[in-house]
Amino acid sequence: MHIRDALEADLKGIREIYNEAVENSTAIWNDTSVDLENRKAWFAERRANGFPVLVATDDNDSVLGYATYGPWRPHDGFRHTVEHSVYVREGQRGSGIGRALMETLIDLARQDGKHVMVGAIESANRGSIHLHQQLGFLHVGQLREVGTKFGRWLDLTFMQLNLEPRA
Ligand SMILES: CC(C)(COP(=O)(O)OP(=O)(O)OC[C@H]1O[C@@H](n2cnc3c(N)ncnc32)[C@H](O)[C@@H]1OP(=O)(O)O)[C@@H](O)C(=O)NCCC(=O)NCCS
């Protein structure tokens, strides 16, 4: 497994992973699959704003997972905080890919001078919550029934990692 910056050629694989999560999980609170143009626009926007998109690939350069961060909230005062996301292809989970992607992403956020990373995770997503705990994220709150998918209410758990000591 290799981790590197995503290229435009990876967007097909990224789209497949994204759409699988849209269709089958509560990891993404969207109901509609996206086309390649949507991912191209998303990728261009990330790059234009200097935000990383990482992919994990196998020996054939197929995308096994991806991780990225972007702004947490749009106002100026939040500029040192980022919200990230991490997705691993179905069938490849549980073998260390998510952790490896996140460790690299955290290093990049530190190098980029970011202060806090925020993860907003569906509260029943035990795998993701466990992964974030292992990486040192702290559980800092929960919003109840702020989302809905598959006919039920969803709670949102916030976890945060402080990247540098408090000044
Ligand atoms: C959550 C996700 C990114 C984790 O990536 P992964 O490659 O499967 O996780 P890893 O193999 O790196 O495991 C990291 C840790 O999490 C644990 N873990 C992973 N999946 C788990 C699960 N379903 N239940 C419990 N623990 C789990 C592993 O045991 C490991 O802990 P350990 O170090 O104590 O052994 C991945 O499962 C995924 O893409 N899930 C679907 C989409 C999703 O939920 N994304 C996150 C949205 S917030």
Side-chain angles (χ1 to χ4, degrees), residues 27 86-88 93-99 121 125 127-128 130-131 134:
V86 54
Y87 296 94
V88 174
R93 295 172 190 154
S95 61
I97 297 169
R99 175 189 267 275
I121 306 167
N125 190 344
S128 183
H130 183 87
L131 167 66
Q134 293 295 98

Side-chain angles (χ1 to χ4, degrees), residues 96-150:
I97 297 169
R99 175 189 267 275
L101 279 165
M102 282 302 301
E103 285 173 347
T104 308
L105 195 70
I106 290 165
D107 283 347
L108 283 179
R110 281 210 173 91
Q111 286 166 28
D112 203 20
K114 297 302 177 195
H115 187 58
V116 172
M117 286 181 82
V118 175
I121 306 167
E122 197 256 311
S123 299
N125 190 344
R126 296 168 64 107
S128 183
I129 288 172
H130 183 87
L131 167 66
H132 283 83
Q133 278 168 345
Q134 293 295 98
L135 290 163
F137 281 74
L138 298 178
H139 183 299
V140 288
Q142 186 190 48
L143 300 178
R144 291 173 191 261
E145 299 188 359
V146 289
T148 184
K149 194 168 180 181
F150 305 138

Side-chain angles (χ1 to χ4, degrees), residues 46-65:
R46 287 272 140 134
R47 287 225 275 215
N49 290 295
F51 290 121
V53 180
L54 296 174
V55 286
T57 57
D58 64 13
D59 289 340
N60 299 317
D61 216 28
S62 296
V63 179
L64 302 174

